Amino acid sequence: MPESSDTSFQSLLHEIRVIPPSPEFAGQAHVRTAEDYDALYQRSLEDPEEFWAAAANELHWFAPWQNVLEWKEPIAKWFVGGQMNLSYNCLDLQVERGRGAKTAILWEGEPGEVRRISFEELLQQVQRCANALRSLGVRKGDCVAIYMGMVPELAVTLLACARIGSVHSVIFGGFAANALVDRINDAKAVAVVTQDSAWRRGNQVPLKGTVDEALTKCPSVRRCLVLRRTGAEVTMTPGRDMWWHDEMARAGAVCPAEPLDSEHPLYILYTSGTTGKPKGIVHTTGGYAVHTYLTSKLVFDLKEEDIYWCTADIGWVTGHSYVVYGILQNGVTTLMYEGAPNFPEQDRFWKIIDDHRVTVFYTAPTAIRAFIKWGDEFPKRHKLDSLRLLGSVGEPINPQTWMWYAEVIGKNRCPIVDTWWQTETGGIMITTLPGAIPAKPGSAGKPFFGIVPDVVTPGGQPVPEGNGGLLIIRKPWPGMARTIFNDPERYQRQYWSQISGAYCTGDGARRDPEGYLWLMGRVDDVINVSGHRLGTMEVESALVSHAKVAEAAVVGRPDPLRGAGGSGCETLVAHDAPAPDLKDELRAWVTAQIGALARPDDLRFAESLPKTRSGKIMRRLLRELAETGEVKGDTTTLEDLGAIAALRQADE
Ligand code: PRX
């Protein structure tokens, strides 16, 4: 075991399985062999500008760019001087390429209705919606806040904003009024698009009611467009609120896409992460379009006949990049599902896959762990034989979870593509490119073309082999965030100040001798056990590999002498009814898996762990709980407040 040092951290996880793609998959993939990947990666490093320009040339531009990149840290400009429109690339271009009658959005409502919207129909709806927004006074550069469920009109609204150059800010439909107020006011949104209420597990979530509450504190909002989805009764404020169906009927049918400067802002997306005040991450048009287009094509190995389903809500960046923009630019059918995975039963996802013959399925480890907990009987009710590729995003996929996903869902036939990226990166950065890169369960894989990651100490030095360090990105890439809205100084400080010349991801990682990257969790979450710095993810992974553990979270336990991040750790395990000797069993298990160093001292059990609404464990709250015995910090992004209360009671 390597010596501990306080300039990097240790890695205890040693996963040795290597799972190559089947020859059938590799034979038909866009990138077919490791040699092809290496050669193309090398080329992309030698001349990144030429590499990205070649991808950009597969899209439509109203006016050509003069320079591919202008870079003055931390300000990047891509395809400088070029003019394009992302809505045009998602719609008009696809119709021109003969896909007018092809299904663009395949939508299933939670109650079971199915809608198939062709590229031509989507283009018509988007044009009307764009005209409707204009008639409500929305102008180029104005921000439109969108607070909706997973309905096709949400995608229509995004594309309509992009068409006229207004900037969308999607606020996840699970957030409460105060989160809406903060985000609307920060961006000074002039209009809100919402719906009466949304279906969720058979219940209705009153979105318009929440908007009404928020808008009493949002002076910038002049208009609110309301889609009738469930038919729930809502209060319409005269002069401010308009019905979607009225405005769409009134709106003109034709709205040509506005040629926009490549650096014209496309959207703001607030990311709370798991700490502190939400940041409005700003993405712009041309570079983001190219990055999401090319990663969608190669990482999901998209083909004309694919039925692609990403289960993320459009309220998250994954939904922006890989439900809407990246997929439609490839002219591929994207499936949207409105509701919960366990409604009416825990097999809803598997039924959707069979009913619609889904070929590519992209979801998050937190969801997969829930499926494992629910039991194999649910996927086993369905054939799942249309699937050819599975994807994972959002957090490290523990090897155990990976194996289950591969066996029970992929039937050992489908490669699993892991994808590491962030709201700030706009698109996928590190991945086990399917067909070309054999998977190592638990590793996010290798860099995507043109991406230059590195692992360093906080001082920027290389870490000793096998040790973990900070994951940084050394070169700009087209999908990168351009700033934090209203706070360029925070953008510079948070991402570009720590390591000279590099983007700091905030994640810990280790690189193995074959160049695979293993994510170890957020650097802020590193725990200190008897002077050894360990990433949380590895201990969690060891716990989750025990048959009786579905989920686990490890946080540092403060030491009164050494302060926060002191020695020891506190471990939380999600379990309904633990047997009395399970604690000892788990301690012995972790010791056997990764060593006595990582043996959890304190173990608590609870039915569920506190998570953000996007499924990330909120370690900040767990640390606070471990430190003070209570939680006073910001819980607005917490999915289930009950989880914290239950944990308090679960104290030993
Ligand atoms: O810690 C990493 C983790 O999620 C963070 C980014 O979260 P967010 O901005 O919400 O974007 C989520 C969708 C991309 C990262 O800093 N993360 C994301 N994907 C992975 C991951 N950790 C390990 N492996 C992944 N595949």
Side-chain angles (χ1 to χ4, degrees):
M1 188 173 296
E3 277 296 290
S4 109
S5 85
D6 43 38
T7 52
S8 65
F9 41 99
Q10 271 179 243
S11 176
L12 302 175
L13 182 73
H14 293 292
E15 174 63 40
I16 45 166
R17 282 172 283 211
V18 180
I19 299 166
S22 67
E24 295 77 55
F25 188 95
Q28 60 79 62
H30 285 301
V31 185
R32 297 183 180 187
T33 63
E35 293 70 41
D36 286 356
Y37 163 81
D38 288 341
L40 197 50
Y41 183 62
Q42 205 46 46
R43 243 183 57 205
S44 76
L45 294 195
E46 279 155 18
D47 196 345
E49 298 189 14
E50 195 241 44
F51 174 81
W52 288 115
N57 273 324
E58 294 178 27
L59 301 176
H60 169 271
W61 295 80
F62 291 106
W65 58 87
Q66 277 92 51
N67 290 323
V68 175
L69 171 66
E70 276 175 23
W71 174 231
K72 196 164 172 296
E73 188 188 326
I75 310 291
K77 291 185 181 159
W78 282 88
F79 306 107
V80 186
Q83 291 194 335
M84 68 117 68
N85 186 295
L86 198 37
S87 157
Y88 189 100
N89 276 288
C90 290
L91 303 169
D92 311 56
L93 181 66
Q94 306 310 327
V95 174
E96 284 163 27
R97 288 180 176 170
R99 298 187 176 114
K102 177 177 175 176
T103 301
I105 296 180
L106 172 47
W107 177 80
E108 184 166 312
E110 191 181 80
E113 330 84 299
V114 171
R115 282 168 64 189
R116 289 185 177 80
I117 304 170
S118 70
F119 279 96
E120 180 64 53
E121 288 161 345
L122 191 59
L123 174 58
Q124 287 166 9
Q125 289 187 28
V126 167
Q127 293 190 76
R128 277 191 187 276
C129 181
N131 282 330
L133 288 173
R134 277 194 174 142
S135 72
L136 299 185
V138 175
R139 298 280 167 263
K140 182 173 165 182
D142 285 346
C143 176
V144 176
I146 305 175
Y147 184 67
M148 302 176 91
M150 283 289 280
V151 289
E153 288 79 3
L154 168 53
V156 169
T157 308
L158 254 61
L159 292 160
C161 288
R163 199 161 185 88
I164 60 174
S166 65
V167 181
H168 58 74
S169 166
V170 183
I171 303 164
F172 173 59
F175 281 140
N178 55 354
L180 213 55
V181 171
D182 291 348
R183 289 159 173 76
I184 290 175
N185 287 343
D186 187 66
K188 300 207 172 36
V190 300
V192 177
V193 183
T194 188
Q195 61 190 61
D196 47 7
S197 68
W199 288 115
R200 191 73 192 170
R201 234 165 260 133
N203 299 316
Q204 287 189 24
V205 185
L207 298 183
K208 173 64 165 62
T210 305
V211 169
D212 288 341
E213 196 186 329
L215 289 191
T216 60
K217 298 186 191 132
C218 300
S220 60
V221 174
R222 295 190 296 263
R223 293 280 189 274
C224 178
L225 192 59
V226 187
L227 174 78
R228 185 175 279 150
R229 161 60 186 133
T230 62
E233 219 169 282
V234 293
T235 313
M236 298 292 277
T237 301
R240 185 194 72 187
D241 300 349
M242 321 274 168
W243 283 109
W244 173 282
H245 50 265
D246 290 340
E247 296 307 306
M248 288 290 274
R250 223 189 315 259
V254 180
C255 177
E258 178 106 359
L260 298 172
D261 187 89
S262 176
E263 283 299 330
H264 187 76
L266 175 69
Y267 66 80
I268 303 174
L269 185 57
Y270 285 85
T271 167
S272 51
T274 30
T275 50
K277 176 177 173 271
K279 301 168 280 202
I281 300 296
V282 177
H283 284 289
T284 59
T285 303
Y288 176 82
V290 173
H291 189 176
T292 54
Y293 162 73
L294 190 69
T295 46
S296 295
K297 176 174 166 180
L298 300 185
V299 174
F300 302 118
D301 191 43
L302 292 179
K303 304 286 162 52
E304 192 65 49
E305 54 286 350
D306 273 319
I307 306 288
Y308 164 95
W309 182 20
C310 165
T311 66
D313 193 286
I314 294 179
W316 313 121
V317 73
T318 311
H320 285 59
S321 299
Y322 299 114
V323 174
V324 182
Y325 290 121
I327 308 307
L328 293 179
Q329 283 188 93
N330 276 281
V332 164
T333 303
T334 183
L335 189 146
M336 275 174 82
Y337 167 58
E338 180 182 40
N342 53 354
F343 185 84
E345 283 199 78
Q346 286 97 319
D347 69 338
R348 183 65 182 267
F349 277 14
W350 321 128
K351 182 168 173 353
I352 290 175
I353 289 174
D354 272 14
D355 286 352
H356 300 295
R357 307 295 297 156
V358 170
T359 55
V360 181
F361 178 68
Y362 187 36
T363 195
T366 181
I368 303 169
R369 287 196 298 272
F371 304 144
I372 297 175
K373 200 169 157 191
W374 294 339
D376 293 6
E377 71 210 71
F378 296 104
K380 285 198 173 135
R381 284 183 195 165
H382 303 274
K383 289 210 215 56
L384 306 179
D385 59 347
S386 54
L387 290 171
R388 66 181 194 91
L389 177 63
L390 304 175
S392 174
V393 62
E395 53 181 317
I397 173 165
N398 332 99
Q400 202 71 8
T401 310
W402 197 103
M403 294 309 293
W404 183 91
Y405 196 27
E407 281 163 25
V408 181
I409 307 304
K411 315 279 186 205
N412 294 323
R413 184 188 68 239
C414 307
I416 296 178
V417 58
D418 195 359
T419 59
W420 177 92
W421 57 296
Q422 305 176 304
T423 305
E424 295 86 339
T425 71
I428 293 166
M429 305 286 281
I430 298 172
T431 177
T432 44
L433 199 67
I437 301 185
K440 298 187 183 183
S443 164
K446 297 189 179 189
F448 187 74
F449 305 113
I451 306 296
V452 189
D454 204 351
V455 180
V456 297
T457 67
Q461 302 306 311
V463 295
E465 180 149 310
N467 270 24
L470 306 178
L471 177 66
I472 60 168
I473 312 291
R474 290 211 178 270
K475 288 249 167 76
W477 65 98
M480 66 197 278
R482 298 305 195 257
T483 189
I484 293 177
F485 190 71
N486 270 342
D487 205 347
E489 198 268 329
R490 185 178 179 193
Y491 176 70
Q492 201 278 335
R493 192 177 63 240
Q494 176 143 9
Y495 303 109
W496 295 95
S497 62
Q498 194 170 348
I499 309 290
S500 157
Y503 169 82
C504 205
T505 67
D507 279 0
R510 129 182 109 85
R511 189 162 27 197
D512 75 14
E514 288 167 316
Y516 283 67
L517 288 148
W518 299 75
L519 274 295
M520 299 170 73
R522 301 290 297 166
V523 179
D524 300 344
D525 294 332
V526 164
I527 51 177
N528 192 327
V529 185
S530 324
H532 298 268
R533 284 157 54 83
L534 303 176
T536 49
M537 184 260 160
E538 298 187 337
V539 187
E540 288 162 6
S541 225
L543 281 159
V544 172
S545 68
H546 188 283
K548 291 187 191 145
V549 176
E551 288 204 286
V554 177
V555 292
R557 180 159 48 95
D559 182 308
L561 294 177
R562 299 163 63 186
S567 70
C569 63
E570 170 129 351
T571 301
L572 295 154
V573 170
H575 207 288
D576 298 339
D581 53 359
L582 187 58
K583 279 187 188 174
D584 290 338
E585 196 179 321
L586 291 179
R587 288 193 184 108
W589 175 261
V590 173
T591 308
Q593 297 293 307
I594 53 175
L597 188 58
R599 198 181 80 103
D601 313 317
D602 291 347
L603 270 166
R604 300 185 196 207
F605 296 101
E607 254 173 56
S608 62
L609 302 177
K611 290 190 191 158
T612 64
R613 288 164 205 267
S614 60
K616 289 195 203 311
I617 294 166
M618 288 189 81
R619 292 196 176 73
R620 171 170 60 82
L621 299 186
L622 294 177
R623 269 200 301 271
E624 201 184 330
L625 189 64
E627 223 166 288
T628 64
E630 56 186 337
V631 172
K632 291 210 181 106
D634 178 21
T635 53
T636 51
T637 56
L638 185 66
E639 193 198 30
D640 174 13
L641 276 171
I644 283 286
L647 282 171
R648 235 181 264 138
Q649 283 156 15
D651 217 337
E652 296 199 69

